[in-house]
Amino acid sequence: MNRSTEQFSGIPYVMTLLNCLLSTWYGLPFVSPNNILVSIINGTGAGLEAFYVLVFLIFAPKKEKAKISGLLFVVLSIFSTVALVSMLALHGNKRKAFCGSAAAIFSIIMYGSPLAIMRLVIKTKSVEYMPFLLSLFVFLCGTSWFVYGLLGKDPFIAVPNGVGGLLGTAQLILYAIYRGNKGKGKKGEENGKADMELGKPQEKEVPNTQNGDANA
């Protein structure tokens, strides 16, 4: 057990928490009638994501912990603002449209949050920090909710999750391309660091003097 977050990013967990909170709020009967299933599933997801964020904060390095704590504060502030405005200033279809738009916007941001990891995968040609199961479930989640939104004729669910399905597909394609390189970039980097720490000299090319000696 490493008891470390290594180079894993906590941003996707925090953004997923915000998405789950906003989607849970959007699915409540006084906001969006006949969408209680959305609230139940995303409410469960919010609880799980809160646990993941807590674990990440416990084991993250100090600098990363400060960054994720600040982002978590912003996320909770956004959710509180959306909830209060929708309850105190809006009613009926305006409330549904406001909450649905907020949920859709931050759903797209959530699905886009692994883009930094995808860039790292392309740069290092290794999927060390992009777990396959996470990519798979991003794809499955996006496509499932996309179909649900289409069947229910709800653009606030269909559009952002359609984007999520496409980004999940992109992650799976990257994984298929670079899966054979998993861990190689990290192993090479660790070996290089170990050599430096041990003061191991770098191998240099020795000039061939045999011909010179023979001629002499």
Side-chain angles (χ1 to χ4, degrees):
M1 185 175 181
N2 291 334
R3 301 182 69 85
S4 169
T5 59
E6 298 183 343
Q7 293 186 40
F8 287 96
S9 173
I11 294 176
Y13 302 114
V14 180
M15 297 311 301
T16 302
L17 174 61
L18 176 59
N19 173 64
C20 288
L21 289 172
L22 290 172
S23 296
T24 300
W25 186 260
Y26 172 72
L28 293 174
F30 54 82
V31 176
S32 176
N34 305 317
N35 261 336
I36 192 63
L37 182 63
V38 175
S39 289
I40 293 173
I41 294 176
N42 283 281
T44 304
L48 291 173
E49 290 300 329
F51 174 74
Y52 295 153
V53 172
L54 178 61
V55 171
F56 189 92
L57 288 174
I58 292 173
F59 295 110
K62 187 177 295 185
K63 185 177 179 181
E64 185 73 9
K65 188 178 297 185
K67 182 175 76 172
I68 297 303
S69 296
L71 181 59
L72 180 61
F73 176 78
V74 172
V75 158
L76 295 177
S77 298
I78 291 172
F79 172 69
S80 299
T81 300
V82 170
L84 288 173
V85 170
S86 65
M87 287 300 296
L88 300 177
L90 301 171
H91 303 280
N93 288 332
K94 289 184 178 180
R95 176 185 290 170
K96 179 180 178 180
F98 174 72
C99 294
S101 297
I105 290 169
F106 287 103
S107 288
I108 293 174
I109 293 174
M110 175 201 72
Y111 282 122
S113 60
L115 286 174
I117 298 298
M118 293 171 68
R119 184 178 63 180
L120 181 64
V121 169
I122 295 172
K123 183 178 179 181
T124 62
K125 301 186 186 304
S126 169
V127 293
E128 179 72 20
Y129 297 107
M130 191 176 74
F132 171 74
L133 289 178
L134 181 60
S135 300
L136 176 63
F137 282 107
V138 166
F139 168 75
L140 293 176
C141 178
T143 52
S144 298
W145 282 112
F146 173 67
V147 172
Y148 179 89
L150 285 180
L151 294 176
K153 297 179 180 179
D154 192 330
F156 299 121
I157 295 177
V159 172
N161 286 287
V163 174
L166 291 175
L167 289 174
T169 302
Q171 290 183 48
L172 291 176
I173 291 173
L174 280 179
Y175 197 95
I177 294 172
Y178 296 118
R179 70 184 186 279
N181 298 336
K182 186 174 182 181
K184 287 185 179 179
K186 181 180 175 184
K187 184 177 179 181
E189 182 182 349
E190 288 177 349
N191 289 341
K193 287 180 179 178
D195 287 347
M196 291 179 65
E197 289 173 0
L198 293 171
K200 240 183 182 181
Q202 298 293 324
E203 291 184 4
K204 296 181 179 179
E205 184 178 352
V206 179
N208 187 359
T209 59
Q210 185 177 359
N211 292 335
D213 293 342
N215 293 336

